[in-house]
Amino acid sequence: MTERIAPPSKPRTMNPRSARPNQRHQVPYSARAVRPTPPIQREKTFLEQIEAFLKKENAAAHSDADRVYVYKRAFEFLSNEFTLCKPLINRIKQQYDEMSASLLEKHREMIVDSSSVTQNEDQFSELVNKMRRSKAKEFKKCHEESEKLLDEMTDLRLQRSELLKQLEEIETQKRELKSVAAAHAEQLQEKNDELQCITIDVKEIEIEKTELSGIIEGLEDKIDKIRCSEEELKEKDEFMKNELSKIKKIEDEKRDILDDKKSLLRKLDLQVQDMNKDVIGLQREKKIAEERLESNKQRKENNEARIREMLLKYDKRPDVPIVDIVKKMLG
C-alpha cells in the first residue's frame, strides 16, 4: 500500500554551513556571511519528495492510524537526512508517536459511541492539526537552534585557533623568560664570585692598613726623636754655609786648574798633531829606505849569483890566478 522513498545517495553528515571559510583574512568575520551557500537544489528535491510521499500515502490511507504511520515514516526520512539534528528529531518523533498513540487510543474509545462519531472525528482532526502546527513550530525552533549551534561552533573553532596561537606565544615567551632567568642566574653567580674576591681584597687591605698604621706610629716616634731645636738647626745651617763657601773656593781653584789643564791639553794636542805629521814623513822616508834596501838586497843577490856562476866556471881551471878571475868578474 505504501511506497518507500529512496533516501539520498549520501546522507549529509553535517550542515554545509558549518564549513570554515578558506580565506578569512579577506573580509571581517561573520558567522553567516562566510559560510558557503547550501545546496538549495538538493534540499528542494528532498522536500518535493517528502511532499509527494505524504500526498500519495495520505491519499491511499483509509484511517487516521494509516495517516499517523505516514507521518512517522516522514520523520524517519528527516532523521536520516539531517544526521546532525537526528537526536532532536528522534525526541520530537518519540513525543509525536506517544501523543499520536494516545490520541488514537482515545479515538478508538470515542468510536464506540456512535452518536458522537462525527464530533469526535472533528475534534481528533483539530487535535492532529494542532499537534502538527506545534511540531512544525518545534521543528522550526530546533532548526534555528541548530543554526545557532553551528554559528557558535564556528566561533568556538576560531576562538580555539586564536587561543592556540596565544598559547604558542605564551610558550615562546616562557622559553625566553627561562633563558633570561638562566642568564641572570649566571650573571648573579659571577657577581657573587666578584663580591667574594672583593671582600678578600678588602680584608687584605685592612690587614695592610693596620700594618701601615703601626709603621706610621713608629715613624712618628722616630720623627719626634729626630726633631731638634731651632738653635741647633741654625748652627747646623751656619756650619753648612761655611762648608759650602769652602767647597765653592775649592771648586773655583779646581776650575782654574782645570782651565790650565785644558790649555795645556790643547797645546799637547797641537804638538801631537805636529808629531803625527813628522811620524807620517818618517814613515814615508822609512818606506823609501826599505824600498832602497830591498833593491840593494836584490842587486846583492844578483851579484852573488853571478859570482857563483863565475866561480863554477873556473873551478875546472885551477892554474888561473884568482886575481885574473876577480878582474874578469869586475870587468
Side-chain angles (χ1 to χ4, degrees):
M1 294 294 294
T2 59
E3 182 181 357
R4 295 176 61 87
I5 297 176
S9 59
K10 291 184 180 180
R12 291 185 299 176
T13 57
M14 63 179 292
N15 195 326
R17 293 184 180 182
S18 63
R20 295 176 65 183
N22 292 328
Q23 296 180 350
R24 293 195 300 271
H25 61 278
Q26 293 180 357
V27 294
Y29 173 74
S30 175
R32 294 184 178 274
V34 297
R35 280 196 249 117
T37 306
I40 300 174
Q41 188 65 31
R42 186 170 177 274
E43 292 182 356
K44 186 176 180 181
T45 303
F46 180 77
L47 182 61
E48 290 175 355
Q49 290 177 357
I50 290 289
E51 289 178 352
F53 172 77
L54 291 174
K55 185 176 181 181
K56 184 177 180 180
E57 293 296 326
N58 286 326
H62 298 285
S63 63
D64 293 331
D66 293 336
R67 286 190 289 273
V68 170
Y69 180 75
V70 170
Y71 285 105
K72 183 178 180 180
R73 292 287 306 283
F75 266 113
E76 290 177 357
F77 294 147
L78 283 173
S79 63
N80 291 328
E81 176 66 13
F82 299 98
T83 56
L84 186 64
C85 302
K86 188 173 182 179
L88 183 60
I89 295 172
N90 287 333
R91 288 199 301 271
I92 296 170
K93 179 178 175 296
Q94 184 179 0
Q95 293 179 3
Y96 178 82
D97 291 339
E98 291 175 357
M99 183 63 70
S100 62
S102 63
L103 290 173
L104 287 172
E105 186 66 27
K106 290 179 181 180
H107 182 64
R108 291 190 189 96
E109 292 175 357
M110 291 169 64
I111 290 174
V112 177
D113 190 3
S114 59
S115 61
S116 59
V117 171
T118 305
Q119 184 179 0
N120 289 333
E121 286 181 355
D122 294 337
Q123 291 177 357
F124 179 75
S125 299
E126 186 177 357
L127 288 172
V128 170
N129 291 328
K130 287 181 180 180
M131 185 178 66
R132 287 177 181 174
R133 287 193 294 271
S134 64
K135 295 302 177 183
K137 289 180 181 179
E138 290 180 0
F139 182 77
K140 184 178 180 181
K141 185 178 180 181
C142 292
H143 184 69
E144 292 177 354
E145 290 179 355
S146 64
E147 290 291 332
K148 290 180 180 179
L149 289 173
L150 290 174
D151 295 338
E152 291 178 358
M153 287 174 65
T154 305
D155 294 336
L156 289 173
R157 288 194 188 98
L158 294 174
Q159 291 177 5
R160 181 175 177 273
S161 63
E162 294 294 331
L163 289 173
L164 288 174
K165 290 180 181 179
Q166 292 178 3
L167 184 61
E168 290 178 357
E169 292 177 357
I170 290 169
E171 290 293 333
T172 305
Q173 292 177 359
K174 187 177 179 181
R175 288 193 294 270
E176 291 177 355
L177 289 173
K178 284 183 179 179
S179 61
V180 171
H184 286 172
E186 291 178 357
Q187 291 179 359
L188 184 62
Q189 185 65 31
E190 292 177 357
K191 296 296 181 183
N192 289 330
D193 295 337
E194 291 178 358
L195 183 61
Q196 290 179 359
C197 295
I198 290 169
T199 52
I200 293 169
D201 294 337
V202 169
K203 289 180 181 179
E204 292 178 355
I205 290 168
E206 288 178 353
I207 293 168
E208 292 178 356
K209 184 179 178 181
T210 54
E211 293 177 355
L212 288 172
S213 61
I215 293 169
I216 289 168
E217 290 178 357
L219 290 173
E220 288 177 352
D221 295 335
K222 289 181 180 180
I223 289 169
D224 292 335
K225 292 178 181 179
I226 291 170
R227 285 177 183 173
C228 59
S229 63
E230 186 177 356
E231 293 179 357
E232 291 177 354
L233 290 173
K234 287 181 179 180
E235 290 177 357
K236 288 181 180 180
D237 191 15
E238 291 293 333
F239 178 74
M240 293 298 290
K241 285 181 180 179
N242 294 327
E243 292 292 328
L244 184 61
S245 61
K246 291 179 182 179
I247 290 169
K248 284 183 178 180
K249 289 179 181 180
I250 294 168
E251 187 177 358
D252 293 334
E253 291 176 357
K254 288 184 177 181
R255 188 179 291 109
D256 295 335
I257 294 168
L258 183 61
D259 292 335
D260 295 336
K261 296 289 184 182
K262 285 182 179 180
S263 61
L264 182 61
L265 183 62
R266 283 194 293 273
K267 291 178 181 179
L268 290 173
D269 288 334
L270 294 173
Q271 291 177 2
V272 168
Q273 290 177 1
D274 295 335
M275 290 176 70
N276 287 329
K277 291 179 181 179
D278 295 336
V279 167
I280 291 168
L282 291 172
Q283 286 178 353
R284 289 177 181 174
E285 292 177 357
K286 181 181 178 182
K287 187 176 181 181
I288 293 167
E290 287 177 353
E291 290 176 355
R292 288 178 181 177
L293 181 62
E294 187 68 27
S295 63
N296 290 330
K297 285 182 180 180
Q298 188 68 30
R299 289 173 62 188
K300 182 179 178 181
E301 289 177 357
N302 293 331
N303 291 328
E304 288 179 354
R306 289 175 63 189
I307 290 168
R308 282 194 294 273
E309 289 177 359
M310 294 294 293
L311 290 174
L312 288 172
K313 290 179 180 180
Y314 291 101
D315 281 341
K316 297 179 180 180
R317 296 172 64 187
D319 55 341
V320 179
I322 190 67
V323 177
D324 295 334
I325 295 169
V326 172
K327 286 181 179 180
K328 194 173 182 179
M329 289 173 63
L330 293 174

